[in-house]
Amino acid sequence: MGVNYITDEVKAVIGAESEPVEAFHPVEPSEVRRFHHATMDPARRYWDAEWAKQSRYGGLVAPPAFPAHAFRRPPAAPDPLDQMGDPDFDGRNRRMRPGLPPVEVPLVRLLNGGYDYEFFRYARHGERLFVKSRFKDIYQRDGKSGTMVFVVIEDLYSNDRGEPLLKTTNTLILR
Amino acid sequence: MKAPAFEDVLVGQEIPVLVKGPMTTAHVMRWSASMENWHRIHYDWRYATEHDKLPDVMVNGSWKQHVMVQLLTDWVGETGWLWKISFQFRGMNVPGDTLTAWGRVVRKEERGPYGVVDLEIGLKNQKGDEGTPGTASVVLPRRDGPAVPYPFDPGALGVATA
């Protein structure tokens, strides 16, 4: 039995649920373009306005899982690069979702364990995005490289008309 | 490629693969910049290898997920719907890797006036190592059936008969 990372403070945030948090800006065509360039997905629904108008989407949309990465740092929020002088800083903070409290576990390495998605509709260009998040579970397991802490987060993304876009369950691993 | 109808799909069939790469540090940087991800393991080689003891900078899991999604959205086209997808990032991928997303049909079932097809999916590197095992469920129209609704409502599938 190694260290217990699931302290009372950590246990206290299991089940914590955020209010819907609005992304700082609406879905931008140029942001969508950078996304589908970077993922090398040339589907017309992201960029061909004439085609998209006639399609089932009724206009240009973003890639299916786009909303999961569309919550950007507001201009007045602290700059994460300010901490880059610290050689142990990994470039991320432990606030894993905008509306949820941080998970205070003294493990420095963070890995993305995987995703579970359910899709309902794609975000339209110009739409505002909202996310409601919940810590579904936080637990530890012993692995080859020592004890790892698994943080399981459920997110429900919706648009400004309250229409659901997608549901995700994301597992983050601290080790 | 014509989008498949439910009747076109055979259990055991492989769907067309989606190949990305060879991946380079520039591809990883482009993705990290597009999503404003400052996690050092994606661009700081010294941090990745010395601090985190990784073999190289890492291809982002968040990038790989979009590849897995694209594998299915390319296959079902504009008449089907990628309903559910799930995968685990078990293996690491690094610059130099050529990644092949693949899928195999494991089950098909009529649900309401539509068809649901379940697949095993994954993402292999050029050595054949599987790094991102998962599953997916897609909804396809039947040959003489109604269009799959958009936006998609799982209630349209009715109750599972199996």
Side-chain angles (χ1 to χ4, degrees):
Chain A
M1 187 66 198
V3 189
N4 176 33
Y5 291 109
I6 313 302
T7 60
D8 289 345
E9 286 78 11
V10 172
K11 273 186 204 153
V13 304
I14 299 174
E17 196 170 16
S18 74
E19 292 302 312
V21 175
E22 183 177 353
F24 179 70
H25 56 71
V27 179
E28 295 172 341
S30 179
E31 189 181 29
V32 170
R33 178 187 54 77
R34 290 197 299 274
F35 253 67
H36 78 80
H37 278 174
T39 55
M40 297 173 273
D41 179 353
R44 300 179 92 89
R45 56 183 176 270
Y46 310 138
W47 54 271
D48 187 338
E50 283 305 305
W51 179 91
K53 213 187 301 173
Q54 310 298 322
S55 74
R56 60 180 169 178
Y57 314 108
L60 291 169
V61 292
F66 173 93
H69 305 300
F71 287 71
R72 305 315 176 95
R73 178 171 67 100
D79 184 346
L81 303 196
D82 286 349
Q83 297 173 68
M84 281 293 179
D86 173 359
D88 283 328
F89 178 59
D90 67 1
R92 299 184 53 134
N93 63 30
R94 294 292 173 261
R95 187 174 283 283
M96 294 161 177
R97 290 295 185 276
L100 288 176
V103 177
E104 298 295 357
V105 168
L107 289 168
V108 294
R109 301 190 191 103
L110 182 132
L111 288 174
N112 192 338
Y115 282 98
D116 198 307
Y117 281 99
E118 182 173 8
F119 296 108
F120 308 111
R121 71 162 73 210
Y122 300 156
R124 292 270 296 264
H125 291 198
E127 237 170 29
R128 290 183 297 136
L129 299 177
F130 295 81
V131 62
K132 193 171 166 60
S133 309
R134 187 173 89 94
F135 284 124
K136 187 180 183 188
D137 201 2
I138 304 174
Y139 58 93
Q140 70 178 51
R141 287 276 159 80
D142 291 322
K144 274 179 290 188
S145 60
T147 304
M148 300 183 289
V149 170
F150 292 74
V151 181
V152 186
I153 305 172
E154 280 180 340
D155 297 297
L156 174 64
Y157 295 90
S158 54
N159 64 16
D160 42 35
R161 289 184 301 281
E163 295 161 337
L165 300 167
L166 66 146
K167 260 199 314 214
T168 78
T169 305
N170 179 205
T171 303
L172 294 169
I173 303 170
L174 296 164
R175 63 183 183 94
Chain B
M1 192 181 60
K2 198 177 169 297
F6 180 68
E7 290 82 356
D8 300 330
V9 176
L10 300 172
V11 172
Q13 105 177 60
E14 303 268 346
I15 67 170
V17 297
L18 179 66
V19 180
K20 302 279 184 185
M23 296 299 290
T24 67
T25 307
H27 290 89
V28 177
M29 179 191 69
R30 180 168 64 180
W31 169 250
S32 295
S34 82
M35 66 177 291
E36 296 171 31
N37 177 339
W38 312 120
H39 196 180
R40 268 187 170 150
I41 62 170
H42 301 304
Y43 55 87
D44 184 337
W45 182 84
R46 176 168 285 181
Y47 184 91
T49 58
E50 292 178 9
H51 187 278
D52 272 16
K53 315 286 184 219
L54 296 165
D56 201 332
V57 295
M58 290 290 108
V59 175
N60 310 52
S62 54
W63 180 86
K64 293 190 268 189
Q65 74 174 324
H66 290 282
V67 176
M68 305 307 286
V69 167
Q70 191 196 342
L71 168 78
L72 279 313
T73 52
D74 279 0
W75 181 54
V76 303
E78 297 295 346
T79 51
W81 185 249
L82 169 58
W83 177 26
K84 290 178 177 178
I85 187 168
S86 168
F87 39 81
Q88 295 181 322
F89 300 122
R90 295 252 184 93
M92 294 187 258
N93 294 111
V94 294
D97 279 1
T98 295
L99 299 170
T100 300
W102 61 273
R104 184 185 307 112
V105 174
V106 294
R107 215 165 83 96
K108 57 179 282 190
E109 177 188 36
E110 292 178 0
R111 294 275 300 271
Y114 314 106
V116 174
V117 175
D118 298 331
L119 301 100
E120 278 175 9
I121 55 173
L123 188 68
K124 288 189 163 130
N125 68 10
Q126 66 284 359
K127 294 177 219 147
D129 302 327
E130 180 53 64
T132 314
T135 58
S137 296
V138 302
V139 183
L140 297 178
R142 301 233 286 268
R143 204 168 278 154
D144 298 311
V148 174
Y150 180 87
F152 180 70
D153 171 12
L157 298 174
V159 180
T161 49

PDB file of all heavy atoms in Angstrom, chain B residues 53-83:
ATOM      1  N   LYS B  53      10.715  11.589 -18.750  1.00  0.00           N
ATOM      2  CA  LYS B  53      11.302  10.283 -19.137  1.00  0.00           C
ATOM      3  C   LYS B  53      10.554   9.632 -20.306  1.00  0.00           C
ATOM      4  O   LYS B  53      10.389   8.414 -20.369  1.00  0.00           O
ATOM      5  CB  LYS B  53      11.307   9.303 -17.941  1.00  0.00           C
ATOM      6  CG  LYS B  53      11.777   9.887 -16.621  1.00  0.00           C
ATOM      7  CD  LYS B  53      13.279  10.093 -16.597  1.00  0.00           C
ATOM      8  CE  LYS B  53      13.744  10.577 -15.226  1.00  0.00           C
ATOM      9  NZ  LYS B  53      14.814  11.585 -15.340  1.00  0.00           N
ATOM     10  N   LEU B  54      10.055  10.465 -21.211  1.00  0.00           N
ATOM     11  CA  LEU B  54       9.365   9.947 -22.392  1.00  0.00           C
ATOM     12  C   LEU B  54      10.382   9.772 -23.515  1.00  0.00           C
ATOM     13  O   LEU B  54      11.450  10.388 -23.499  1.00  0.00           O
ATOM     14  CB  LEU B  54       8.263  10.939 -22.812  1.00  0.00           C
ATOM     15  CG  LEU B  54       7.138  11.133 -21.784  1.00  0.00           C
ATOM     16  CD1 LEU B  54       6.316  12.366 -22.119  1.00  0.00           C
ATOM     17  CD2 LEU B  54       6.255   9.888 -21.724  1.00  0.00           C
ATOM     18  N   PRO B  55      10.076   8.934 -24.509  1.00  0.00           N
ATOM     19  CA  PRO B  55      11.046   8.710 -25.585  1.00  0.00           C
ATOM     20  C   PRO B  55      11.230   9.917 -26.515  1.00  0.00           C
ATOM     21  O   PRO B  55      12.263  10.030 -27.179  1.00  0.00           O
ATOM     22  CB  PRO B  55      10.465   7.524 -26.354  1.00  0.00           C
ATOM     23  CG  PRO B  55       9.035   7.446 -25.961  1.00  0.00           C
ATOM     24  CD  PRO B  55       8.916   8.037 -24.600  1.00  0.00           C
ATOM     25  N   ASP B  56      10.263  10.809 -26.574  1.00  0.00           N
ATOM     26  CA  ASP B  56      10.315  11.958 -27.495  1.00  0.00           C
ATOM     27  C   ASP B  56       9.162  12.877 -27.089  1.00  0.00           C
ATOM     28  O   ASP B  56       8.446  12.575 -26.124  1.00  0.00           O
ATOM     29  CB  ASP B  56      10.137  11.465 -28.946  1.00  0.00           C
ATOM     30  CG  ASP B  56      10.680  12.449 -29.988  1.00  0.00           C
ATOM     31  OD1 ASP B  56      10.697  13.663 -29.720  1.00  0.00           O
ATOM     32  OD2 ASP B  56      11.080  11.987 -31.075  1.00  0.00           O
ATOM     33  N   VAL B  57       8.938  13.969 -27.841  1.00  0.00           N
ATOM     34  CA  VAL B  57       7.687  14.709 -27.633  1.00  0.00           C
ATOM     35  C   VAL B  57       6.537  13.799 -28.071  1.00  0.00           C
ATOM     36  O   VAL B  57       6.726  12.877 -28.872  1.00  0.00           O
ATOM     37  CB  VAL B  57       7.655  16.062 -28.404  1.00  0.00           C
ATOM     38  CG1 VAL B  57       8.713  17.007 -27.871  1.00  0.00           C
ATOM     39  CG2 VAL B  57       7.804  15.858 -29.896  1.00  0.00           C
ATOM     40  N   MET B  58       5.357  14.045 -27.515  1.00  0.00           N
ATOM     41  CA  MET B  58       4.223  13.146 -27.723  1.00  0.00           C
ATOM     42  C   MET B  58       3.232  13.708 -28.743  1.00  0.00           C
ATOM     43  O   MET B  58       2.887  14.895 -28.679  1.00  0.00           O
ATOM     44  CB  MET B  58       3.443  12.998 -26.407  1.00  0.00           C
ATOM     45  CG  MET B  58       4.131  12.239 -25.308  1.00  0.00           C
ATOM     46  SD  MET B  58       4.242  10.481 -25.695  1.00  0.00           S
ATOM     47  CE  MET B  58       5.994  10.379 -26.019  1.00  0.00           C
ATOM     48  N   VAL B  59       2.743  12.844 -29.620  1.00  0.00           N
ATOM     49  CA  VAL B  59       1.570  13.185 -30.430  1.00  0.00           C
ATOM     50  C   VAL B  59       0.380  13.259 -29.468  1.00  0.00           C
ATOM     51  O   VAL B  59       0.173  12.346 -28.664  1.00  0.00           O
ATOM     52  CB  VAL B  59       1.321  12.117 -31.515  1.00  0.00           C
ATOM     53  CG1 VAL B  59       0.025  12.411 -32.271  1.00  0.00           C
ATOM     54  CG2 VAL B  59       2.506  12.049 -32.477  1.00  0.00           C
ATOM     55  N   ASN B  60      -0.382  14.353 -29.526  1.00  0.00           N
ATOM     56  CA  ASN B  60      -1.454  14.589 -28.558  1.00  0.00           C
ATOM     57  C   ASN B  60      -2.566  13.553 -28.675  1.00  0.00           C
ATOM     58  O   ASN B  60      -3.052  13.277 -29.784  1.00  0.00           O
ATOM     59  CB  ASN B  60      -2.113  15.954 -28.791  1.00  0.00           C
ATOM     60  CG  ASN B  60      -1.116  17.079 -28.904  1.00  0.00           C
ATOM     61  OD1 ASN B  60      -0.169  17.006 -29.680  1.00  0.00           O
ATOM     62  ND2 ASN B  60      -1.309  18.128 -28.140  1.00  0.00           N
ATOM     63  N   GLY B  61      -3.021  13.071 -27.516  1.00  0.00           N
ATOM     64  CA  GLY B  61      -4.228  12.239 -27.496  1.00  0.00           C
ATOM     65  C   GLY B  61      -5.408  13.002 -28.071  1.00  0.00           C
ATOM     66  O   GLY B  61      -6.230  12.453 -28.805  1.00  0.00           O
ATOM     67  N   SER B  62      -5.480  14.299 -27.764  1.00  0.00           N
ATOM     68  CA  SER B  62      -6.592  15.111 -28.263  1.00  0.00           C
ATOM     69  C   SER B  62      -6.596  15.160 -29.787  1.00  0.00           C
ATOM     70  O   SER B  62      -7.656  15.262 -30.408  1.00  0.00           O
ATOM     71  CB  SER B  62      -6.503  16.524 -27.689  1.00  0.00           C
ATOM     72  OG  SER B  62      -5.232  17.082 -27.968  1.00  0.00           O
ATOM     73  N   TRP B  63      -5.419  15.079 -30.415  1.00  0.00           N
ATOM     74  CA  TRP B  63      -5.346  15.026 -31.885  1.00  0.00           C
ATOM     75  C   TRP B  63      -5.811  13.657 -32.385  1.00  0.00           C
ATOM     76  O   TRP B  63      -6.584  13.557 -33.340  1.00  0.00           O
ATOM     77  CB  TRP B  63      -3.908  15.322 -32.335  1.00  0.00           C
ATOM     78  CG  TRP B  63      -3.712  15.296 -33.816  1.00  0.00           C
ATOM     79  CD1 TRP B  63      -3.905  16.320 -34.680  1.00  0.00           C
ATOM     80  CD2 TRP B  63      -3.288  14.180 -34.607  1.00  0.00           C
ATOM     81  NE1 TRP B  63      -3.633  15.910 -35.964  1.00  0.00           N
ATOM     82  CE2 TRP B  63      -3.247  14.599 -35.942  1.00  0.00           C
ATOM     83  CE3 TRP B  63      -2.944  12.852 -34.299  1.00  0.00           C
ATOM     84  CZ2 TRP B  63      -2.879  13.754 -36.992  1.00  0.00           C
ATOM     85  CZ3 TRP B  63      -2.576  12.000 -35.340  1.00  0.00           C
ATOM     86  CH2 TRP B  63      -2.539  12.464 -36.667  1.00  0.00           C
ATOM     87  N   LYS B  64      -5.329  12.608 -31.707  1.00  0.00           N
ATOM     88  CA  LYS B  64      -5.686  11.252 -32.139  1.00  0.00           C
ATOM     89  C   LYS B  64      -7.193  11.030 -32.076  1.00  0.00           C
ATOM     90  O   LYS B  64      -7.765  10.327 -32.902  1.00  0.00           O
ATOM     91  CB  LYS B  64      -4.939  10.220 -31.285  1.00  0.00           C
ATOM     92  CG  LYS B  64      -3.433  10.239 -31.533  1.00  0.00           C
ATOM     93  CD  LYS B  64      -2.728   9.068 -30.865  1.00  0.00           C
ATOM     94  CE  LYS B  64      -2.251   9.395 -29.492  1.00  0.00           C
ATOM     95  NZ  LYS B  64      -1.371   8.340 -28.922  1.00  0.00           N
ATOM     96  N   GLN B  65      -7.846  11.662 -31.097  1.00  0.00           N
ATOM     97  CA  GLN B  65      -9.292  11.459 -30.998  1.00  0.00           C
ATOM     98  C   GLN B  65     -10.005  11.974 -32.243  1.00  0.00           C
ATOM     99  O   GLN B  65     -10.985  11.370 -32.683  1.00  0.00           O
ATOM    100  CB  GLN B  65      -9.843  12.141 -29.762  1.00  0.00           C
ATOM    101  CG  GLN B  65      -9.888  13.646 -29.925  1.00  0.00           C
ATOM    102  CD  GLN B  65     -10.547  14.334 -28.783  1.00  0.00           C
ATOM    103  OE1 GLN B  65     -11.495  13.800 -28.229  1.00  0.00           O
ATOM    104  NE2 GLN B  65     -10.049  15.480 -28.435  1.00  0.00           N
ATOM    105  N   HIS B  66      -9.527  13.079 -32.810  1.00  0.00           N
ATOM    106  CA  HIS B  66     -10.184  13.602 -34.010  1.00  0.00           C
ATOM    107  C   HIS B  66      -9.959  12.679 -35.205  1.00  0.00           C
ATOM    108  O   HIS B  66     -10.798  12.598 -36.102  1.00  0.00           O
ATOM    109  CB  HIS B  66      -9.689  15.021 -34.319  1.00  0.00           C
ATOM    110  CG  HIS B  66     -10.175  16.030 -33.335  1.00  0.00           C
ATOM    111  ND1 HIS B  66     -11.449  16.540 -33.363  1.00  0.00           N
ATOM    112  CD2 HIS B  66      -9.567  16.585 -32.272  1.00  0.00           C
ATOM    113  CE1 HIS B  66     -11.604  17.384 -32.357  1.00  0.00           C
ATOM    114  NE2 HIS B  66     -10.474  17.427 -31.683  1.00  0.00           N
ATOM    115  N   VAL B  67      -8.818  11.995 -35.214  1.00  0.00           N
ATOM    116  CA  VAL B  67      -8.551  11.023 -36.283  1.00  0.00           C
ATOM    117  C   VAL B  67      -9.517   9.841 -36.165  1.00  0.00           C
ATOM    118  O   VAL B  67     -10.067   9.371 -37.162  1.00  0.00           O
ATOM    119  CB  VAL B  67      -7.077  10.565 -36.235  1.00  0.00           C
ATOM    120  CG1 VAL B  67      -6.812   9.481 -37.268  1.00  0.00           C
ATOM    121  CG2 VAL B  67      -6.145  11.756 -36.432  1.00  0.00           C
ATOM    122  N   MET B  68      -9.729   9.386 -34.925  1.00  0.00           N
ATOM    123  CA  MET B  68     -10.666   8.276 -34.722  1.00  0.00           C
ATOM    124  C   MET B  68     -12.083   8.688 -35.156  1.00  0.00           C
ATOM    125  O   MET B  68     -12.808   7.912 -35.771  1.00  0.00           O
ATOM    126  CB  MET B  68     -10.689   7.852 -33.247  1.00  0.00           C
ATOM    127  CG  MET B  68      -9.337   7.500 -32.658  1.00  0.00           C
ATOM    128  SD  MET B  68      -8.442   6.275 -33.605  1.00  0.00           S
ATOM    129  CE  MET B  68      -9.361   4.815 -33.163  1.00  0.00           C
ATOM    130  N   VAL B  69     -12.450   9.930 -34.815  1.00  0.00           N
ATOM    131  CA  VAL B  69     -13.770  10.439 -35.219  1.00  0.00           C
ATOM    132  C   VAL B  69     -13.852  10.508 -36.748  1.00  0.00           C
ATOM    133  O   VAL B  69     -14.837  10.080 -37.357  1.00  0.00           O
ATOM    134  CB  VAL B  69     -14.036  11.815 -34.569  1.00  0.00           C
ATOM    135  CG1 VAL B  69     -15.236  12.509 -35.207  1.00  0.00           C
ATOM    136  CG2 VAL B  69     -14.254  11.661 -33.059  1.00  0.00           C
ATOM    137  N   GLN B  70     -12.805  11.019 -37.383  1.00  0.00           N
ATOM    138  CA  GLN B  70     -12.819  11.182 -38.846  1.00  0.00           C
ATOM    139  C   GLN B  70     -12.907   9.831 -39.566  1.00  0.00           C
ATOM    140  O   GLN B  70     -13.548   9.718 -40.614  1.00  0.00           O
ATOM    141  CB  GLN B  70     -11.574  11.940 -39.307  1.00  0.00           C
ATOM    142  CG  GLN B  70     -11.661  12.381 -40.770  1.00  0.00           C
ATOM    143  CD  GLN B  70     -10.313  12.778 -41.363  1.00  0.00           C
ATOM    144  OE1 GLN B  70      -9.356  13.057 -40.629  1.00  0.00           O
ATOM    145  NE2 GLN B  70     -10.232  12.804 -42.675  1.00  0.00           N
ATOM    146  N   LEU B  71     -12.249   8.812 -38.997  1.00  0.00           N
ATOM    147  CA  LEU B  71     -12.357   7.464 -39.579  1.00  0.00           C
ATOM    148  C   LEU B  71     -13.824   7.100 -39.793  1.00  0.00           C
ATOM    149  O   LEU B  71     -14.213   6.608 -40.857  1.00  0.00           O
ATOM    150  CB  LEU B  71     -11.691   6.452 -38.628  1.00  0.00           C
ATOM    151  CG  LEU B  71     -11.937   4.974 -38.920  1.00  0.00           C
ATOM    152  CD1 LEU B  71     -11.049   4.513 -40.073  1.00  0.00           C
ATOM    153  CD2 LEU B  71     -11.692   4.114 -37.672  1.00  0.00           C
ATOM    154  N   LEU B  72     -14.640   7.370 -38.776  1.00  0.00           N
ATOM    155  CA  LEU B  72     -16.056   6.979 -38.836  1.00  0.00           C
ATOM    156  C   LEU B  72     -16.899   7.970 -39.623  1.00  0.00           C
ATOM    157  O   LEU B  72     -17.782   7.560 -40.386  1.00  0.00           O
ATOM    158  CB  LEU B  72     -16.624   6.833 -37.414  1.00  0.00           C
ATOM    159  CG  LEU B  72     -16.354   5.543 -36.628  1.00  0.00           C
ATOM    160  CD1 LEU B  72     -16.622   4.315 -37.461  1.00  0.00           C
ATOM    161  CD2 LEU B  72     -14.974   5.474 -36.043  1.00  0.00           C
ATOM    162  N   THR B  73     -16.646   9.284 -39.463  1.00  0.00           N
ATOM    163  CA  THR B  73     -17.470  10.249 -40.204  1.00  0.00           C
ATOM    164  C   THR B  73     -17.198  10.123 -41.710  1.00  0.00           C
ATOM    165  O   THR B  73     -18.108  10.283 -42.517  1.00  0.00           O
ATOM    166  CB  THR B  73     -17.257  11.702 -39.724  1.00  0.00           C
ATOM    167  OG1 THR B  73     -15.866  12.015 -39.728  1.00  0.00           O
ATOM    168  CG2 THR B  73     -17.816  11.910 -38.333  1.00  0.00           C
ATOM    169  N   ASP B  74     -15.956   9.804 -42.091  1.00  0.00           N
ATOM    170  CA  ASP B  74     -15.660   9.563 -43.511  1.00  0.00           C
ATOM    171  C   ASP B  74     -16.440   8.346 -44.016  1.00  0.00           C
ATOM    172  O   ASP B  74     -16.942   8.349 -45.135  1.00  0.00           O
ATOM    173  CB  ASP B  74     -14.161   9.304 -43.723  1.00  0.00           C
ATOM    174  CG  ASP B  74     -13.333  10.588 -43.778  1.00  0.00           C
ATOM    175  OD1 ASP B  74     -13.920  11.679 -43.653  1.00  0.00           O
ATOM    176  OD2 ASP B  74     -12.100  10.479 -43.943  1.00  0.00           O
ATOM    177  N   TRP B  75     -16.510   7.318 -43.190  1.00  0.00           N
ATOM    178  CA  TRP B  75     -17.158   6.071 -43.643  1.00  0.00           C
ATOM    179  C   TRP B  75     -18.676   6.228 -43.749  1.00  0.00           C
ATOM    180  O   TRP B  75     -19.269   5.857 -44.752  1.00  0.00           O
ATOM    181  CB  TRP B  75     -16.812   4.910 -42.699  1.00  0.00           C
ATOM    182  CG  TRP B  75     -17.417   3.610 -43.130  1.00  0.00           C
ATOM    183  CD1 TRP B  75     -17.287   3.035 -44.364  1.00  0.00           C
ATOM    184  CD2 TRP B  75     -18.266   2.763 -42.361  1.00  0.00           C
ATOM    185  NE1 TRP B  75     -18.007   1.848 -44.397  1.00  0.00           N
ATOM    186  CE2 TRP B  75     -18.603   1.666 -43.183  1.00  0.00           C
ATOM    187  CE3 TRP B  75     -18.755   2.816 -41.045  1.00  0.00           C
ATOM    188  CZ2 TRP B  75     -19.427   0.625 -42.738  1.00  0.00           C
ATOM    189  CZ3 TRP B  75     -19.563   1.783 -40.607  1.00  0.00           C
ATOM    190  CH2 TRP B  75     -19.894   0.698 -41.448  1.00  0.00           C
ATOM    191  N   VAL B  76     -19.319   6.797 -42.737  1.00  0.00           N
ATOM    192  CA  VAL B  76     -20.789   6.863 -42.760  1.00  0.00           C
ATOM    193  C   VAL B  76     -21.283   7.980 -43.675  1.00  0.00           C
ATOM    194  O   VAL B  76     -22.453   7.979 -44.069  1.00  0.00           O
ATOM    195  CB  VAL B  76     -21.412   7.025 -41.349  1.00  0.00           C
ATOM    196  CG1 VAL B  76     -20.967   5.891 -40.446  1.00  0.00           C
ATOM    197  CG2 VAL B  76     -21.093   8.388 -40.731  1.00  0.00           C
ATOM    198  N   GLY B  77     -20.403   8.928 -44.043  1.00  0.00           N
ATOM    199  CA  GLY B  77     -20.783   9.991 -44.974  1.00  0.00           C
ATOM    200  C   GLY B  77     -21.849  10.902 -44.397  1.00  0.00           C
ATOM    201  O   GLY B  77     -22.027  10.994 -43.179  1.00  0.00           O
ATOM    202  N   GLU B  78     -22.546  11.586 -45.287  1.00  0.00           N
ATOM    203  CA  GLU B  78     -23.520  12.589 -44.855  1.00  0.00           C
ATOM    204  C   GLU B  78     -24.922  12.012 -44.680  1.00  0.00           C
ATOM    205  O   GLU B  78     -25.871  12.749 -44.411  1.00  0.00           O
ATOM    206  CB  GLU B  78     -23.540  13.763 -45.835  1.00  0.00           C
ATOM    207  CG  GLU B  78     -22.214  14.528 -45.913  1.00  0.00           C
ATOM    208  CD  GLU B  78     -21.841  15.236 -44.600  1.00  0.00           C
ATOM    209  OE1 GLU B  78     -22.709  15.354 -43.725  1.00  0.00           O
ATOM    210  OE2 GLU B  78     -20.671  15.664 -44.476  1.00  0.00           O
ATOM    211  N   THR B  79     -25.048  10.678 -44.835  1.00  0.00           N
ATOM    212  CA  THR B  79     -26.362  10.065 -44.630  1.00  0.00           C
ATOM    213  C   THR B  79     -26.415   9.223 -43.355  1.00  0.00           C
ATOM    214  O   THR B  79     -27.494   8.891 -42.871  1.00  0.00           O
ATOM    215  CB  THR B  79     -26.759   9.190 -45.835  1.00  0.00           C
ATOM    216  OG1 THR B  79     -25.665   8.293 -46.123  1.00  0.00           O
ATOM    217  CG2 THR B  79     -27.054  10.038 -47.061  1.00  0.00           C
ATOM    218  N   GLY B  80     -25.239   8.873 -42.823  1.00  0.00           N
ATOM    219  CA  GLY B  80     -25.189   8.143 -41.551  1.00  0.00           C
ATOM    220  C   GLY B  80     -24.807   9.088 -40.426  1.00  0.00           C
ATOM    221  O   GLY B  80     -24.592  10.286 -40.639  1.00  0.00           O
ATOM    222  N   TRP B  81     -24.717   8.547 -39.214  1.00  0.00           N
ATOM    223  CA  TRP B  81     -24.379   9.379 -38.056  1.00  0.00           C
ATOM    224  C   TRP B  81     -23.442   8.614 -37.133  1.00  0.00           C
ATOM    225  O   TRP B  81     -23.756   7.470 -36.753  1.00  0.00           O
ATOM    226  CB  TRP B  81     -25.653   9.760 -37.301  1.00  0.00           C
ATOM    227  CG  TRP B  81     -25.392  10.715 -36.167  1.00  0.00           C
ATOM    228  CD1 TRP B  81     -25.488  10.456 -34.839  1.00  0.00           C
ATOM    229  CD2 TRP B  81     -24.979  12.080 -36.277  1.00  0.00           C
ATOM    230  NE1 TRP B  81     -25.161  11.581 -34.112  1.00  0.00           N
ATOM    231  CE2 TRP B  81     -24.845  12.589 -34.969  1.00  0.00           C
ATOM    232  CE3 TRP B  81     -24.704  12.925 -37.357  1.00  0.00           C
ATOM    233  CZ2 TRP B  81     -24.444  13.903 -34.707  1.00  0.00           C
ATOM    234  CZ3 TRP B  81     -24.307  14.230 -37.096  1.00  0.00           C
ATOM    235  CH2 TRP B  81     -24.191  14.715 -35.789  1.00  0.00           C
ATOM    236  N   LEU B  82     -22.309   9.224 -36.813  1.00  0.00           N
ATOM    237  CA  LEU B  82     -21.449   8.679 -35.770  1.00  0.00           C
ATOM    238  C   LEU B  82     -22.107   9.020 -34.442  1.00  0.00           C
ATOM    239  O   LEU B  82     -22.147  10.186 -34.048  1.00  0.00           O
ATOM    240  CB  LEU B  82     -20.043   9.283 -35.841  1.00  0.00           C
ATOM    241  CG  LEU B  82     -19.145   8.966 -34.632  1.00  0.00           C
ATOM    242  CD1 LEU B  82     -18.969   7.465 -34.430  1.00  0.00           C
ATOM    243  CD2 LEU B  82     -17.814   9.674 -34.756  1.00  0.00           C
ATOM    244  N   TRP B  83     -22.662   7.982 -33.794  1.00  0.00           N
ATOM    245  CA  TRP B  83     -23.444   8.194 -32.567  1.00  0.00           C
ATOM    246  C   TRP B  83     -22.529   8.173 -31.336  1.00  0.00           C
ATOM    247  O   TRP B  83     -22.481   9.120 -30.568  1.00  0.00           O
ATOM    248  CB  TRP B  83     -24.535   7.120 -32.502  1.00  0.00           C
ATOM    249  CG  TRP B  83     -25.377   7.134 -31.275  1.00  0.00           C
ATOM    250  CD1 TRP B  83     -25.647   8.205 -30.465  1.00  0.00           C
ATOM    251  CD2 TRP B  83     -26.076   6.018 -30.715  1.00  0.00           C
ATOM    252  NE1 TRP B  83     -26.479   7.811 -29.436  1.00  0.00           N
ATOM    253  CE2 TRP B  83     -26.756   6.493 -29.568  1.00  0.00           C
ATOM    254  CE3 TRP B  83     -26.218   4.672 -31.086  1.00  0.00           C
ATOM    255  CZ2 TRP B  83     -27.550   5.649 -28.778  1.00  0.00           C
ATOM    256  CZ3 TRP B  83     -27.006   3.838 -30.311  1.00  0.00           C
ATOM    257  CH2 TRP B  83     -27.664   4.332 -29.168  1.00  0.00           C
TER     258      TRP B  83
END
